[in-house]
């Protein structure tokens, strides 16, 4: 293994050298990466800066042909505009549940109950009601068979599939459909938007596994996914379909939970009719969504104790009914009763599957809401509290029904409550239902929450029957579950690299089980639950149109970007007057000079003395650390003062920076790039003689410590050269520790050049920062198909017009904005 040799200033001679060596060498196994030959090429557009003593570095197109070989090579750490800051934050973004104190763990558990388990916790309110409305029970054996079906559905779906397997397929602590897709995109280039850069893989959260003996199959799958456009589109459609079902699930969950809880009033007060239940449910939902603004942690902590009381009530009532009525229902743990149930009821038992699935609702919420809590906290809470209470709750209802078959189709849960505690339990049930209504809505984006909130109100008013809502609930839940099963299977093959027998067993068993449930709920789709399918299809179409239009627009901008030869012919003044100040040209192009820049320099009489092409880009990681936000590259020679800046965000990042803080962070990152370039130039010129003698064994790198210290890295390729490396390190330290040593003229010139450029940047910053917004729109050509014209010219244009622009998140004053539009015909 290659060893890093660090030379830099220390606090006390030799001791300082040892401390630096240990601190940075420990990063060798983390920063050294395994890549395909050619993948690690830099995406520098044109780093010529007019300096004759610098080697010319040609641009390498990262969008070239796929590599044909499977051979992997090991590369050394790359130094870039964010590498130094990454040293401070590597691994600091994961919450460590094991390090929490006892008091903090209790608070964490209450928050988990309030946010994650509300949905699955309220399933006893309606599961048996929906089941027995589709398959009326004829005797105690039918109760035992239905109970056995519910028990094993609980054990197989929420426990085995989600708690023990799916939760581990998280993306650095993030769960849900998009997190799975992001995880797959990070290991295989399957994104349809061609804006990927090799630098994205060097974000500290972008952690990939090292090669293993199981890598060959994973490479074949990766190659197949990357080479097939059909598979890429199919994968995207699966993700969009799963996301649509998540949104639909967020619409149905409040309606189902609240109406089931409020329906208990019909048991306590005989005069209550269904219309009154609907009106009370709508009122409760309005109250629920009015407290959404207080945040997940605050609401979760406030309602966590209430849900804890609810689970204890479930267990207590279940034990009471087992003792009072019939403890023999425990024989339902024998799965043979499932077979006997289907044998006696045949088609009706198959209809009942749609209602049985409702006991597992909320399973996807455990995964989708994973970002708020650790995997271990969710697993422990479910296994030791939630699951036992649910099992006791269902056992107690079944014990009550064995002696009271007439109440099976009404409200078996509320009928099984002892009369002395009916009203307190009804109150707790309604509170728990309101909590459950938030379980899936917290898993959707804020803009989608508004439509989900409105949609669930409409659903309550349009579907007054709990059976109709239950069927719609099953459709939405199963749609999400099946998409999750398929994506986790890809993760098992591509990332986890499990034995093929294990993978096939997982997908065949769980996908087969979910398809069986799905066939049951689809059979009853004509009862009104088709509304939720229409809603999901509409959301799918909207997301697909957005993706299609964005991809077409980006590809067009790549084709129309300005050639670098043209930029050189125009000259460093860009054919116009360079006015003092910094111009931040916003564009979606991640590489090259956007065509809209040509409109600026031909339309306006002047352009700023320094121009930064800013691209807001989302990378397949949950969160990008703030000090790794910006990635800089110099465009054209130094005298042009043109830079490219890619501002990278994860899919969970919230872009609400103040524009002044944004500008300050951007300028600081740019200054670090300028300093790094100057130090690297100096080290390359000083190290010519060393490079001649050690040409085949080492190369120079530069690290800039956050405190401003500069270290040079020589990375020998063989461990045998450790001795010579030590001597180099000691010599470098002794020189840096001696401030009186004479400086060479070349060093003085380099320092003056560095100070001139930094001073130029500061003066430009003082002159003002202007945001140049390039709005590139697309229109379908006249000879395009009618459907394409309809999609691009109307639907996509409407979405673009009404979406929130990235610049709006920075709260930039209008006096600092200049907008230029450009239309591409596609």
């Amino acid at each position: 293994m290659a060893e890093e040799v660090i030379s830099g200033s220390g606090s006390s001679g030799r001791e300082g050298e040892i401390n630096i060596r240990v601190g940075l060498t420990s990063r060798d196994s983390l920063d050294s990466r395994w890549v395909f030959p050619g993948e690690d090429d830099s995406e520098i557009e044109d780093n010529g800066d007019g300096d004759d003593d610098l080697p010319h570095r040609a641009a390498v197109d990262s969008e070239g042909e796929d590599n044909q070989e499977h051979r992997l090579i090991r590369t050394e750490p790359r130094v870039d505009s964010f590498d130094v800051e990454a040293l401070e934050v590597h691994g600091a973004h994961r919450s460590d549940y094991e390090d929490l104190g006892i008091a903090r763990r209790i608070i964490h558990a209450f928050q988990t109950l309030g946010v994650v388990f509300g949905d699955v916790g309220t399933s006893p309110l309606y599961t048996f009601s929906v089941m027995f409305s589709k398959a009326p029970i004829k005797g105690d054996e039918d109760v035992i068979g239905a109970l056995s079906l519910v028990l094993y559905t609980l054990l197989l779906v929420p426990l085995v599939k989600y708690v023990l397997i799916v939760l581990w397929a998280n993306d650095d602590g993030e769960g849900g459909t998009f997190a799975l897709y992001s995880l797959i995109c990070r290991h295989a280039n399957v994104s349809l938007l061609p804006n990927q850069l090799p630098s994205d893989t060097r974000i500290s959260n972008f952690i990939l596994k090292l090669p293993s003996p199981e890598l060959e199959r994973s490479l074949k799958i990766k190659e197949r996914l990357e080479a097939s456009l059909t598979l890429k589109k199919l994968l995207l459609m699966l993700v969009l379909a799963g996301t649509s079902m998540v949104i639909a699930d967020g619409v149905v969950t409040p309606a189902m939970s609240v109406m089931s809880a409020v329906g208990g009033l019909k048991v306590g007060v005989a005069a209550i009719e269904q219309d009154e239940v609907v009106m009370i449910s709508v009122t409760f939902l309005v109250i629920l969504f009015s407290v959404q603004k207080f945040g997940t942690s605050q609401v979760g902590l406030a309602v966590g104790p209430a849900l804890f009381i609810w689970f204890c009530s479930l267990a207590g009532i279940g034990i009471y009914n087992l003792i009072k009525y019939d403890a023999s229902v425990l024989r339902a743990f024998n799965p043979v009763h499932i077979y006997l149930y289907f044998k006696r009821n045949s088609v009706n038992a198959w209809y009942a599957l749609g209602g049985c699935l409702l006991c597992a609702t909320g399973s996807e919420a455990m995964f989708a809401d994973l970002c708020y809590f650790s995997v271990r906290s969710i697993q422990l809470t479910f296994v030791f509290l939630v699951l036992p209470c649910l099992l006791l709750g269902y056992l107690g209802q079944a014990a009550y029904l064995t002696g009271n078959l007439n109440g099976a189709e009404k409200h078996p849960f509320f009928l099984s409550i002892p009369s002395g505690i009916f009203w307190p339990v009804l109150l707790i049930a309604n509170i728990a239902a309101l909590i459950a209504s938030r379980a899936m809505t917290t898993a959707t984006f804020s803009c989608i929450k508004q439509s989900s909130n409105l949609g669930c109100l409409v659903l309550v008013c349009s579907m007054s029957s709990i059976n109709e809502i239950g069927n719609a609930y099953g459709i939405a839940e199963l749609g999400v579950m099946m998409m999750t099963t398929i994506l986790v299977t890809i993760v098992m093959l591509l990332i986890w690299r499990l034995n093929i027998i294990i993978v096939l067993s997982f997908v065949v068993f769980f996908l087969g089980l979910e398809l069986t449930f799905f066939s049951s709920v689809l059979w009853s789709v004509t009862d009104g639950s088709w509304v939720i399918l229409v809603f999901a299809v509409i959301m799918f179409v909207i997301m697909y149109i957005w993706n299609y239009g964005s991809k077409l627009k980006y590809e067009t901008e790549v084709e129309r970007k300005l050639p670098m030869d043209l930029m050189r012919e125009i000259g460093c003044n860009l054919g116009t007057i360079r006015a003092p100040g910094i111009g931040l040209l916003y564009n979606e192009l991640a590489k090259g000079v956007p065509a809209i820049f040509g409109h600026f320099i031909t339309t306006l009489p002047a352009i700023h003395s320094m121009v930064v092409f800013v691209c807001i880009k989302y990378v397949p990681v949950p969160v990008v650390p703030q000090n790794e936000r910006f990635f800089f590259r110099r465009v054209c020679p130094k005298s042009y003062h043109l830079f490219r800046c890619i501002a990278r965000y994860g899919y969970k990042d919230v872009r609400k920076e103040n524009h002044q803080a944004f500008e300050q962070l951007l300028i600081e990152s740019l200054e670090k790039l300028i300093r790094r370039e100057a130090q690297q130039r100096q080290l390359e010129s000083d190290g010519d003689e060393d490079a001649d003698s050690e040409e085949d064994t080492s190369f120079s790198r530069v690290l800039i410590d956050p405190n401003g210290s500069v270290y040079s890295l020589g990375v020998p390729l063989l461990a045998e050269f450790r001795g010579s490396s030590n001597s180099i390190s000691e010599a470098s330290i002794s020189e840096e520790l001696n401030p009186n040593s004479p400086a060479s003229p070349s060093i003085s010139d380099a320092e003056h050049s560095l100070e001139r450029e930094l001073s130029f940047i500061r003066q430009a910053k003082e002159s003002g920062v202007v945001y140049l917004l390039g709005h590139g729109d697309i229109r379908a050509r006249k000879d395009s198909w009618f459907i394409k014209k309809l999609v691009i010219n109307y639907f996509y244009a409407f979405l673009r017009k009404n979406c929130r622009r990235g610049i709006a998140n920075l709260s930039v004053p209008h006096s600092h904005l200049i907008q230029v539009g450009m239309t591409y015909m596609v």
Side-chain angles (χ1 to χ4, degrees):
M1 179 178 291
E3 176 191 355
E4 295 180 351
V5 179
I6 312 301
S7 60
S9 58
S11 58
S12 59
R14 177 75 177 178
E15 181 181 354
E17 175 205 348
I18 295 176
N19 290 337
I20 295 172
R21 180 185 305 281
V22 173
L24 292 181
T25 302
S26 63
R27 298 180 62 243
D28 187 24
S29 61
L30 295 176
D31 289 354
S32 300
R33 299 177 297 118
W34 293 87
V35 299
F36 290 99
E39 274 190 358
D40 196 44
D41 292 332
S42 173
E43 64 282 359
I44 298 176
E45 296 153 29
D46 189 345
N47 203 21
D49 55 6
D51 207 340
D52 295 337
D53 61 344
L54 284 180
H56 177 70
R57 302 179 66 179
V60 179
D61 192 357
S62 63
E63 303 166 10
E65 299 179 357
D66 294 336
N67 297 292
Q68 300 299 322
E69 298 183 11
H70 295 318
R71 181 173 58 88
L72 292 176
I73 59 175
R74 184 178 184 275
T75 65
E76 295 303 329
R78 293 289 307 273
V79 180
D80 231 310
S81 57
F82 60 81
D83 278 343
V84 177
E85 294 87 344
L87 291 173
E88 301 177 273
V89 298
H90 186 78
H93 311 287
R94 303 285 293 114
S95 59
D96 193 356
Y97 179 74
E98 289 74 12
D99 292 341
L100 299 177
I102 296 177
R104 187 60 186 169
R105 290 190 187 190
I106 295 175
I107 295 176
H108 209 64
F110 276 127
Q111 290 177 327
T112 306
L113 281 176
V115 175
V116 178
F117 297 112
D119 195 359
V120 70
T122 54
S123 61
L125 291 174
Y126 44 76
T127 299
F128 277 146
S129 298
V130 178
M131 282 188 71
F132 296 139
S133 66
K134 295 185 177 183
I137 58 176
K138 303 172 184 177
D140 292 349
E141 289 301 318
D142 284 348
V143 175
I144 301 298
L147 174 62
S148 183
L149 198 58
V150 167
L151 295 180
Y152 278 95
T153 301
L154 265 177
L155 294 174
L156 290 175
V157 179
L159 178 62
V160 177
K161 179 187 172 182
Y162 279 92
V163 173
L164 300 182
I165 299 176
V166 173
L167 286 183
W168 293 112
N170 63 83
D171 182 18
D172 196 29
E174 300 290 339
T177 308
F178 271 129
L180 287 172
Y181 185 61
S182 169
L183 194 62
I184 295 171
C185 287
R186 200 152 72 236
H187 289 78
N189 184 16
V190 295
S191 175
L192 292 176
L193 195 63
N195 65 346
Q196 298 82 24
L197 296 175
S199 58
D200 296 339
T201 64
R202 299 195 295 274
I203 298 176
S204 60
N205 287 350
F206 206 112
I207 302 174
L208 303 180
K209 289 186 177 181
L210 295 179
S212 65
E214 297 82 11
L215 186 60
E216 183 177 357
R217 186 190 66 208
S218 178
L219 288 176
K220 290 180 179 179
I221 296 173
K222 177 178 183 292
E223 183 183 55
R224 180 63 176 166
L225 286 173
E226 294 179 344
S228 175
L229 181 61
T230 302
L231 290 178
K232 289 182 180 180
K233 290 182 177 180
L234 180 61
L235 182 61
L236 176 65
M237 293 177 68
L238 288 175
V239 172
L240 295 183
T243 306
S244 303
M245 289 298 182
V246 168
I247 300 171
D249 201 356
V251 170
V252 184
T253 298
M256 187 68 183
S257 301
V258 174
M259 281 195 66
S260 299
V262 176
L265 287 172
K266 297 170 69 175
V267 176
V269 182
I272 294 289
E273 299 293 337
Q274 186 63 27
D275 291 340
E276 284 83 357
V277 171
V278 171
M279 295 305 300
I280 296 173
S281 300
V282 171
T283 303
F284 280 1
L285 289 173
V286 171
I287 296 173
L288 167 70
F289 296 122
S290 66
V291 301
Q292 287 278 89
K293 61 183 179 180
F294 294 109
T296 299
S297 297
Q298 290 81 357
V299 175
L301 184 58
V303 301
L307 206 58
F308 177 75
I309 297 174
W310 165 250
F311 280 113
C312 292
S313 301
L314 276 180
I317 295 172
I319 295 172
Y320 169 82
N321 287 328
L322 283 173
I323 296 174
K324 181 177 180 180
Y325 294 103
D326 187 3
S328 66
V329 295
L330 292 172
R331 55 196 173 98
F333 281 102
N334 185 350
V336 74
H337 290 286
I338 298 177
Y339 167 75
L340 296 176
Y341 180 68
F342 275 90
K343 184 178 180 180
R344 285 190 304 270
N345 296 278
S346 61
V347 177
N348 285 338
W350 177 65
Y351 287 154
L353 285 177
C356 175
L357 174 76
L358 297 180
C359 72
T361 55
S363 300
E364 187 67 29
M366 287 191 291
F367 185 46
D369 290 330
L370 184 60
C371 56
Y372 301 107
F373 309 100
S374 67
V375 173
R376 189 65 67 189
S377 65
I378 293 179
Q379 289 177 327
L380 294 177
T381 306
F382 183 83
V383 172
F384 293 105
L385 176 62
V386 176
L387 182 60
C389 293
L390 288 176
L391 294 178
L392 287 171
Y394 284 112
L395 288 167
Q397 287 188 55
Y400 170 82
L401 288 175
T402 55
N404 301 274
L405 297 179
N406 293 332
E409 299 180 19
K410 298 178 181 178
H411 297 279
F413 173 76
F414 290 106
L415 290 173
S416 67
I417 300 175
S419 58
I421 60 171
F422 176 82
W423 291 106
V425 173
L426 177 64
L427 176 62
I428 294 297
N430 279 271
I431 295 175
L434 292 174
I435 298 169
S437 302
R438 301 187 72 257
M440 286 305 299
T441 56
T442 54
T444 56
F445 297 107
S446 58
C447 60
I448 298 176
K449 285 179 185 176
Q450 299 170 7
S451 62
S452 299
N453 300 346
L454 179 61
C456 73
L457 296 174
V458 174
L459 197 67
V460 170
C461 298
S462 61
M463 291 185 181
S464 58
S465 170
I466 197 68
N467 297 329
E468 293 179 4
I469 299 179
N471 202 59
Y473 202 1
I475 292 175
E477 191 76 17
L478 279 167
V480 183
M481 287 181 177
M482 290 188 293
M483 298 305 108
T484 299
T485 299
I486 296 173
L487 293 176
V488 171
T489 301
I490 298 176
V491 170
M492 288 179 170
L493 291 170
L494 182 66
I495 304 171
W496 291 355
R497 302 164 194 163
L498 298 179
N499 187 284
I500 192 66
I501 302 299
I502 298 177
V503 177
L504 288 177
S505 300
F506 172 82
V507 68
V508 170
F509 180 80
F510 284 106
L511 191 59
L513 181 65
E514 289 155 2
L515 285 173
T516 304
F517 280 114
F518 197 60
S519 65
S520 174
V521 295
L522 280 183
W523 189 260
S524 305
V525 74
T526 55
D527 63 3
S529 55
W530 57 268
V531 174
I532 206 66
L533 278 178
V534 173
F535 179 83
V537 169
I538 292 174
M539 298 304 300
F540 174 85
V541 170
I542 290 174
M543 290 187 288
Y544 190 81
I545 289 176
W546 178 263
N547 181 270
Y548 172 73
S550 300
K551 177 178 177 292
L552 204 58
K553 177 178 178 293
Y554 188 85
E555 290 176 342
T556 305
E557 289 183 338
V558 170
E559 294 175 358
R560 307 287 178 84
K561 64 183 180 181
L562 297 180
M564 297 306 301
D565 293 340
L566 176 62
M567 298 295 295
R568 294 191 184 95
E569 290 176 4
I570 294 177
C572 61
N573 287 329
L574 302 177
T576 183
I577 300 174
R578 302 297 293 269
I582 299 177
L584 302 181
L585 176 58
Y586 275 75
N587 190 261
E588 297 178 7
L589 199 63
K591 190 178 175 184
V593 180
I596 204 166
F597 182 66
H599 280 262
F600 275 108
I601 60 179
T602 56
T603 304
L604 302 178
I607 198 69
H608 296 85
S609 57
M610 191 175 83
V611 177
V612 181
F613 301 116
V614 181
C615 169
I616 303 294
K617 179 183 177 183
Y618 286 91
V619 293
V621 296
V623 177
V624 175
Q626 186 74 0
N627 46 9
E628 296 182 28
R629 178 79 65 213
F630 299 109
F631 176 76
F632 277 93
R633 280 285 185 252
R634 190 186 293 275
V635 180
C636 297
K638 183 189 295 185
S639 57
Y640 283 62
H641 300 294
L642 295 180
F643 299 89
R644 162 154 315 283
C645 171
I646 300 178
R648 297 169 301 188
Y649 292 84
Y651 56 85
K652 285 287 185 178
D653 276 324
V654 179
R655 291 170 49 197
K656 290 185 179 179
E657 305 104 325
N658 179 275
H659 75 97
Q660 295 177 340
F662 182 86
E663 294 167 8
Q664 184 64 30
L665 184 59
L666 185 144
I667 297 300
E668 290 176 358
S669 301
L670 179 58
E671 290 180 349
K672 288 182 180 181
L673 171 69
I674 302 302
R675 296 179 190 277
R676 180 186 64 83
E677 285 183 345
Q679 294 293 336
Q680 188 169 3
R681 255 197 318 269
Q682 185 61 44
L683 289 171
E684 287 176 353
S685 62
D686 291 345
D688 286 340
E689 294 181 1
D690 294 337
D692 292 338
S693 60
E694 299 184 16
E695 181 177 2
D696 295 330
T697 60
S698 65
F699 57 96
S700 295
R701 294 292 187 196
V702 178
L703 275 180
I704 307 173
D705 195 76
N707 62 14
S709 303
V710 179
Y711 308 112
S712 67
L713 269 65
V715 186
L717 299 183
L718 297 176
E720 288 79 356
F721 288 86
R722 182 171 185 176
S724 61
S725 302
N726 290 338
S727 61
I728 296 173
S729 177
E730 293 172 6
S732 302
I733 290 177
S734 62
E735 291 175 5
E736 295 189 12
L737 290 177
N738 185 4
N740 298 322
S741 59
S744 63
S746 60
I747 295 179
S748 178
D749 293 341
E751 291 177 351
H752 288 315
S753 176
L754 172 62
E755 289 302 324
R756 281 197 301 270
E757 186 164 13
L758 292 178
S759 176
F760 179 86
I761 294 176
R762 297 188 187 104
Q763 291 176 4
K765 174 68 167 60
E766 293 173 358
S767 299
V769 178
V770 176
Y771 292 78
L772 312 173
L773 305 185
H775 296 311
D777 296 320
I778 57 175
R779 301 279 295 178
R781 294 191 182 97
K782 293 183 179 180
D783 58 347
S784 300
W785 291 0
F786 171 76
I787 296 179
K788 183 177 180 180
K789 291 180 180 179
L790 183 66
V791 169
I792 297 298
N793 297 348
Y794 296 97
F795 294 154
Y796 180 71
F798 175 80
L799 294 176
R800 288 276 300 180
K801 183 179 179 180
N802 290 276
C803 75
R804 183 176 177 86
R805 303 276 185 181
I807 196 66
N809 295 305
L810 297 177
S811 303
V812 179
H814 290 287
S815 59
H816 292 187
L817 294 177
I818 298 179
Q819 302 188 40
V820 173
M822 185 173 182
T823 301
Y824 301 103
M825 303 303 295
V826 297

